């Protein structure tokens, strides 16, 4: 009998040794679980969706994906989280617009416990500006899924014909705009969005040493640096833009450039396909890409994280939810999304020549230059619980800077500071 028991134990031991460690019970620890993921209509979402079956096969989990228009998604999620629903696991967040509110409401699960010490995931590979936008007081609440850097788009042929060099400073930008401005022949020197343009105008303010808020969340529109930025912005557009520059949105700006009616525009790299595609414009082969010109404070364009993925603090399966985020924002899937043309927030993706082989070389060089110093500013709008109200006053400041042609702005900006600080007082 003892011999039989000993033989049985030997067989069991041998069989156990043949099973790879971790495979029998831990290879798919969340198998059978169903994750509910809510995403917004976005190029990143479109690119990710075809790969989700791979995640399901590898983990044994099932993903129920819901996709909505961005504002509709935000409203739907807010209703559920206000009711402390535990059926939502992962959703696409707007960190700059919603993070402050969502953190104060207790809706977001801190992610540091998942990212800290995970060398394979390598959270430090994300641009610091994007991580900053997803953090509050050192706590990470979202993983960046895309980022946008502001740059200068210009017409190489017009520059060569006029003998103008590509501007690297604000002074040079103004000079180039003046030399290339030829409205009689339907060409404007510099065109920029102003209507709903708050997120791009701030690059001018940053480069002059100003901005929308200080570190304590107070409005700083009336500081000498911010006023100087507004003055510059108002002057260049009132003198060298297309008619009614105070009411141009980004689609109109890109349309003017695509039609050959603008020598220069400045906008984010995420919109480059509106110009790089030969079917979009006959000038695609003469479009140049350059770094945002430097002001007194240097070149400080936005390097903005517009969306991230977060975990519902009330979710009943947070660890499984993290597995989805870890996969969706990991280097492999991130690389595929980058190759599909949706700009991502991982530095390694922008330094991979194979992933970026279909992107314009100058565009890649501009972004690599920004990332070489981990540059750009991650915040492109006021951070406040009352964003929509604050937005109206900032838009008024932008409008006035143009219609006043960059003059007599200090007193008006001080008035805007007063209104905005009343709004921001509710955040503290």
């Amino acid at each position: 009998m003892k011999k039989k028991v000993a033989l049985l134990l030997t067989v069991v031991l041998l069989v156990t040794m043949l099973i790879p460690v971790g495979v029998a019970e831990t290879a798919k620890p969340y198998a059978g679980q169903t994750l509910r993921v809510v995403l917004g209509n976005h190029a990143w979402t479109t690119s990710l969706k075809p790969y989700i079956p791979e995640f399901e096969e590898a983990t044994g989990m099932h993903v129920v994906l819901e996709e909505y228009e961005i504002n509709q998604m935000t409203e739907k999620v807010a209703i559920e989280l206000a009711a402390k629903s535990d059926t939502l696991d992962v959703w696409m967040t707007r960190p700059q617009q919603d993070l402050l509110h969502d953190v104060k409401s207790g809706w977001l699960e801190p992610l540091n416990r998942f990212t800290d010490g995970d060398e394979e995931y390598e959270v430090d590979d994300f641009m610091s500006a994007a991580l900053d936008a997803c953090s509050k007081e050192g706590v990470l609440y979202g993983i960046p899924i895309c980022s946008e850097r502001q740059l200068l788009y210009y017409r190489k042929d017009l520059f060569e014909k006029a003998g103008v060099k590509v501007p690297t400073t604000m002074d040079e930008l103004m000079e180039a705009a003046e030399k290339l401005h030829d409205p009689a022949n339907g060409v404007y020197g510099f065109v920029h969005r102003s209507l709903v343009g708050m997120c791009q105008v701030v690059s001018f303010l940053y480069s002059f040493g100003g901005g929308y808020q200080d570190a304590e969340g107070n409005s700083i529109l009336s500081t000498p640096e911010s006023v100087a930025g507004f003055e510059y912005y108002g002057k260049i557009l009132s003198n060298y833009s297309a008619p009614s520059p105070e009411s141009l949105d980004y689609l109109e700006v890109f349309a003017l450039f695509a039609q050959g009616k603008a020598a220069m525009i400045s906008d984010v790299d995420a919109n480059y396909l509106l110009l790089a595609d030969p079917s979009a414009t006959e000038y695609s082969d003469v479009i140049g890409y350059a770094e945002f010109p430097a002001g007194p404070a240097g070149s400080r364009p936005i390097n903005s994280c517009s969306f991230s993925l977060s975990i519902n603090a009330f979710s009943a399966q947070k660890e499984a939810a993290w597995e989805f985020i870890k996969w969706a924002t990991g280097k492999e899937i991130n690389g595929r999304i980058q190759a599909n043309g949706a700009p991502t927030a991982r530095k390694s993706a922008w330094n991979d020549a194979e992933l970026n082989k279909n992107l314009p070389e100058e565009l890649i060089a501009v972004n690599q230059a920004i990332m070489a110093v981990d540059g750009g500013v991650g915040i492109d709008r006021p951070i406040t619980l009352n964003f929509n109200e604050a937005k109206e006053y900032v838009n008024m400041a932008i409008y006035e800077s143009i219609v006043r042609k960059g003059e007599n702005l200090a007193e008006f900006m001080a008035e805007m500071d007063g209104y905005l600080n009343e709004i921001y007082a509710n955040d503290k």
Side-chain angles (χ1 to χ4, degrees):
M1 181 68 178
K2 291 182 179 180
K3 290 183 178 180
K4 289 183 179 181
V5 171
L7 179 61
L8 179 60
L9 289 173
T10 301
V11 171
V12 170
L13 178 61
L14 289 172
V15 171
T16 303
M17 292 174 62
L18 292 173
I19 300 176
V21 175
V23 170
E25 296 182 358
T26 62
K28 297 183 178 182
Y30 310 111
Q33 294 191 31
T34 296
L35 287 176
R36 181 167 167 243
V37 178
V38 177
L39 304 178
N41 298 139
H42 189 271
W44 184 88
T45 303
T46 301
S47 184
L48 177 75
K49 285 193 295 185
Y51 307 130
I52 289 179
E54 296 181 21
F55 172 79
E56 294 178 315
E57 182 177 355
T59 64
M61 286 189 270
H62 175 58
V63 176
V64 176
L65 176 64
E66 298 176 23
E67 186 177 356
Y68 303 95
E69 184 274 329
I70 299 296
N71 289 326
Q72 182 185 7
M73 173 198 70
T74 303
E75 292 172 3
K76 178 178 178 58
V77 168
I79 291 172
E80 293 194 31
L81 295 181
K84 298 185 178 182
S85 170
D86 63 358
T87 62
L88 171 63
D89 299 303
V90 176
W91 86 98
M92 183 188 287
T93 51
R94 300 179 298 183
Q96 295 185 68
Q97 202 156 316
D98 300 327
L99 183 72
L100 180 61
H101 172 272
D102 293 354
V103 169
K104 286 198 170 189
S105 300
W107 293 353
L108 303 177
E109 178 71 11
L111 302 181
N112 302 75
R113 68 185 179 96
F114 298 115
T115 60
D116 290 352
D118 190 336
E119 296 181 2
E120 181 182 355
Y121 184 66
E122 198 176 342
V123 71
D124 290 340
D125 183 43
F126 290 95
M127 300 174 195
S128 62
L131 290 174
D132 289 345
C134 297
S135 303
K136 178 69 174 173
E137 298 179 353
V139 179
L140 184 64
Y141 290 100
I143 299 297
I145 58 175
C146 57
S147 61
E148 302 175 345
R149 288 143 297 278
Q150 189 164 354
L151 50 88
L152 183 71
Y153 296 82
Y154 67 97
R155 283 272 303 279
K156 293 180 179 180
D157 55 334
L158 295 180
F159 271 74
E160 291 175 3
K161 183 178 179 180
V164 177
K165 74 170 188 175
V166 179
T168 59
T169 68
M170 288 293 174
D171 288 342
E172 291 174 353
L173 178 64
M174 187 75 78
E175 292 170 3
E178 180 181 8
K179 291 179 180 178
L180 296 167
H181 190 58
D182 187 11
N185 290 303
V187 176
Y188 308 105
F190 180 77
V191 182
H192 192 273
R193 64 162 105 174
S194 57
L195 189 67
V196 197
M198 155 172 70
C199 299
Q200 279 69 44
V201 174
V202 74
S203 293
F204 290 88
L205 305 189
Y206 284 144
S207 296
F208 275 85
Y212 291 143
Q213 291 172 296
D214 62 17
E216 286 71 44
N218 302 307
S219 181
I220 56 171
L221 299 190
S222 65
T223 62
E225 295 81 5
S226 293
V227 170
F230 276 122
E231 286 177 344
Y232 180 95
Y233 185 77
K235 287 176 182 177
I236 195 170
L237 290 190
S238 61
N239 288 315
Y240 308 120
S241 183
S244 302
E246 71 280 0
S247 62
L248 292 175
D249 64 23
Y250 87 97
L251 289 175
E252 292 171 312
V253 168
F254 275 91
L256 285 167
F257 197 69
Q259 294 163 11
K261 296 181 180 180
M264 296 180 287
I265 65 172
S266 180
D267 213 283
V268 293
D269 56 355
N271 290 328
Y272 86 95
L273 281 174
L274 294 174
L275 303 171
D277 185 353
S279 66
T281 173
E282 63 181 279
Y283 302 100
S284 62
D285 60 340
V286 291
I287 293 173
Y289 309 83
E291 290 183 63
F292 189 80
S299 175
R300 302 201 68 212
I302 58 164
N303 184 357
S304 171
C305 173
S306 48
F307 294 101
S308 58
L309 293 183
S310 293
I311 295 176
N312 175 13
F314 310 116
S315 169
Q317 41 193 12
K318 296 184 181 70
E319 284 70 23
W322 170 249
E323 286 301 310
F324 176 83
I325 292 181
K326 181 178 179 179
W327 167 82
T329 61
K331 285 188 175 181
E332 180 182 352
I333 298 300
N334 185 91
R336 296 193 211 175
I337 291 174
Q338 175 90 5
N340 290 340
T344 65
R346 278 191 178 271
K347 291 178 283 188
S348 59
W350 284 100
N351 291 320
D352 189 317
E354 180 62 25
L355 293 180
N356 299 311
K357 62 183 179 183
N358 295 322
L359 296 178
E361 291 184 5
E362 282 184 322
L363 177 64
I364 299 171
V366 167
N367 284 328
Q368 288 176 334
I370 292 174
M371 288 180 288
V373 292
D374 216 1
V377 185
I379 304 300
D380 63 17
R381 66 199 72 187
I383 304 301
T384 174
L385 294 171
N386 302 286
F387 173 76
N388 288 329
E389 189 177 356
K391 178 177 66 176
E392 295 305 315
Y393 288 106
V394 173
N395 285 339
M396 286 173 62
I398 295 169
Y399 177 89
E400 287 293 325
S401 72
I402 300 172
V403 298
R404 295 188 184 204
K405 300 182 178 180
E407 299 176 353
N408 303 316
L409 290 173
E411 185 176 343
F412 180 82
M413 294 305 169
E415 185 180 357
M416 293 299 100
D417 273 351
Y419 292 129
L420 286 164
N421 281 327
E422 288 182 11
I423 295 172
Y424 301 154
N426 296 321
D427 301 330
K428 301 173 182 178

